[in-house]
């Protein structure tokens, strides 16, 4: 019963061949996941529960240990390599303003996803040292393996913040950058949808919700990562249950959605929604942020968890 509840094979036959190569970014398939009521006609004496992941005891698996990484690194994308014998990571660092170099896009590889190596690529000259002995690349962001494209754009990406599309022959050297695809806030995540042959974009937008200005999620899509997309439309906004932690009626403390990380998985769409509880006196700047799993059947309309909506990853200690 438990196995059937978690997932059910829709068909016993193998997936038929496609007209084009399959991307290592592609996690779609025939399996149906019982994370919503879409396939269920009657539900009695049953509760759907989401169980948090367990943090790896050896964290962090990547930390700043190079001079150009300064004191912090941030993750952009992890994909299997094309041989499917290991993993590739695109990540970044933000240097202090007085550094003279600014931030960098960086690259690492791993055989198991836990132990990572930072190869000396010899691609980018550091201004402060004049050396190419580093793992700096000119390609980063939400990276997609695109083997159906011409060789010069075997990898494509959309960079957060500026929301520009780029091409690369190898995932290391960016060759072309588009004009901004959408206009929105400073947090956005993008994925390639093999079902619709489009890029899906989820970008932070500001909206008035129940009389208070809040960060919400806007949505847009496009078949081309180099051509502007339609304007963002509101996709997700905090509801009454999200504000259940606010103790005083009329308080300006509130819940925001700081961003979300989407991907097409088997026959549905899954995302990690970033819930931000602004506990400061302005209700906007400070407080804990945790992650919740949400699901969708089309990538546009999303289903939240049933209460109590448990965080998918436990928070660290206060502060």
């Amino acid at each position: 019963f438990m196995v059937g509840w978690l997932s059910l094979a829709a068909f016993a036959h193998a997936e038929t061949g496609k007209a084009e190569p399959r991307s290592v970014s592609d996690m779609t398939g025939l399996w149906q996941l019982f994370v919503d009521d879409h396939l269920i006609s009657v539900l009695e004496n049953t509760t759907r529960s989401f169980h948090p992941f367990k943090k790896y005891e050896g964290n962090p698996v990547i930390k700043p240990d190079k001079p150009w990484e300064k004191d912090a690194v941030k993750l952009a994308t992890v994909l299997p390599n094309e041989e499917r014998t290991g993993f590739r990571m695109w990540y970044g660092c933000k240097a202090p303003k007085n550094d003279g170099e600014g931030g960098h896009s960086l690259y690492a590889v791993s055989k198991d996803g836990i132990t990572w190596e930072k190869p000396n690529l010899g691609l980018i000259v550091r201004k402060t040292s004049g050396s190419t002995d580093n793992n700096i690349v000119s390609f980063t962001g939400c990276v997609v393996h695109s083997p159906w494209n011409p060789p010069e754009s075997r990898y494509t990406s959309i960079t957060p913040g500026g929301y520009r599309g780029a091409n690369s022959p190898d995932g290391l050297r960016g060759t072309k950058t588009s004009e901004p695809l959408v206009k929105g806030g400073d947090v956005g995540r993008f994925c390639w949808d093999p079902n619709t042959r489009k890029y899906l974009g989820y970008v932070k937008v500001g909206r008035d919700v129940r009389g208070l200005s809040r960060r919400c999620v806007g949505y847009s899509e496009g078949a081309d990562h180099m051509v502007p997309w339609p304007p963002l439309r509101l996709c997700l906004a905090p509801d009454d249950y999200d504000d259940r932690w606010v103790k005083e009626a009329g308080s300006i403390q509130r819940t925001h959605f700081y961003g979300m990380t989407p991907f097409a998985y088997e026959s549905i769409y899954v995302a990690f929604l970033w819930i931000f509880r602004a506990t400061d006196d302005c209700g906007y700047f400070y407080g804990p942020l945790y992650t919740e799993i949400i699901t969708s059947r089309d990538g546009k309309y999303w289903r939240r968890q049933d209460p109590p909506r448990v965080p998918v990853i436990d928070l660290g200690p206060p502060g």
Side-chain angles (χ1 to χ4, degrees):
F1 172 81
M2 290 303 297
V3 171
W5 175 249
L6 291 172
S7 55
L8 174 68
F11 302 98
H13 62 77
E15 183 180 12
T16 57
K18 293 184 177 181
E20 60 187 23
R22 186 178 176 109
S23 170
V24 298
S25 310
D26 186 352
M27 296 185 290
T28 59
L30 300 173
W31 290 75
Q32 296 287 340
L33 309 181
F34 282 88
V35 295
D36 58 18
D37 297 336
H38 183 76
L39 301 173
I40 302 171
S41 59
V42 177
L43 193 65
E44 296 179 349
N45 302 319
T46 306
T47 300
R48 179 183 289 106
S49 297
F50 288 78
H51 302 278
F53 297 123
K54 298 296 183 182
K55 290 182 179 179
Y56 174 56
E57 295 180 354
N59 283 332
V61 296
I62 286 278
K63 56 185 178 181
D65 54 13
K66 302 292 185 181
W68 51 90
E69 293 175 330
K70 305 304 178 183
D71 58 357
V73 293
K74 56 183 180 179
L75 177 63
T77 301
V78 173
L79 293 178
N81 60 32
E82 293 185 39
E83 295 75 27
R84 293 175 172 80
T85 57
F87 300 92
R88 310 177 73 188
M89 175 189 290
W90 292 261
Y91 70 107
C93 66
K94 186 176 182 180
K97 292 182 180 179
N98 60 357
D99 178 81
E101 289 191 352
H104 295 299
S105 301
L106 307 170
Y107 180 75
V109 294
S110 173
K111 294 181 179 179
D112 58 8
I114 295 176
T115 302
W116 290 88
E117 300 177 2
K118 302 173 181 179
N120 292 326
L121 300 173
L123 297 176
I124 306 295
V125 178
R126 289 185 62 210
K127 294 180 180 179
T128 55
S129 67
S131 171
T132 60
D133 186 15
N134 57 63
N135 66 328
I136 304 173
V137 296
S138 58
F139 189 74
T140 189
C142 301
V143 178
V144 176
H145 174 228
S146 312
W148 50 84
N149 282 343
E152 65 271 15
S153 55
R154 190 174 183 84
Y155 284 83
T156 59
S157 77
I158 300 172
T159 56
Y163 309 126
R164 299 173 184 269
N167 293 324
S168 173
D170 53 11
L172 302 177
R173 297 164 292 173
T175 58
K176 186 178 179 181
T177 302
S178 74
E179 294 300 314
L181 300 177
V182 294
K183 295 181 179 180
D186 59 348
V187 175
R189 298 297 297 176
F190 301 83
C191 67
W192 172 254
D193 180 6
N195 299 311
T196 63
R197 308 291 303 158
K198 291 182 178 181
Y199 294 89
L200 311 182
Y202 303 86
V203 178
K204 186 171 69 178
V205 295
R207 293 291 187 273
D208 185 271
V209 179
R210 296 188 300 283
L212 295 172
S213 177
R214 303 176 191 250
R215 300 169 179 88
C216 303
V217 179
Y219 168 83
S220 186
E221 65 180 29
D224 191 333
H225 70 300
M226 305 299 285
V227 178
W229 300 351
L232 295 167
R233 67 168 181 82
L234 185 64
C235 177
L236 282 164
D239 59 21
D240 289 333
Y241 191 75
D242 289 313
D243 282 342
R244 64 192 181 281
W245 59 274
V246 179
K247 298 179 180 179
E248 298 181 6
S251 172
I252 63 172
Q253 293 183 340
R254 71 204 84 162
T255 302
H256 303 258
F257 291 165
Y258 211 84
M260 62 182 277
T261 305
F263 50 97
Y265 181 62
E266 294 297 340
S267 58
I268 66 170
Y269 302 83
V270 180
F272 298 118
L273 181 63
W274 311 347
I275 314 293
F276 171 41
R277 292 181 173 180
T279 58
D280 62 289
D281 292 339
C282 296
Y284 212 81
F285 300 105
Y286 303 103
L289 188 150
Y290 62 92
T291 305
E292 176 187 305
I293 280 186
I294 59 175
T295 59
S296 173
R297 289 283 162 174
D298 59 7
K300 302 176 182 179
Y301 301 96
W302 293 83
R303 183 188 188 279
R304 305 284 303 282
Q305 292 183 28
D306 297 330
R309 294 182 182 167
V310 298
V312 70
I313 302 176
D314 292 335
L315 291 175

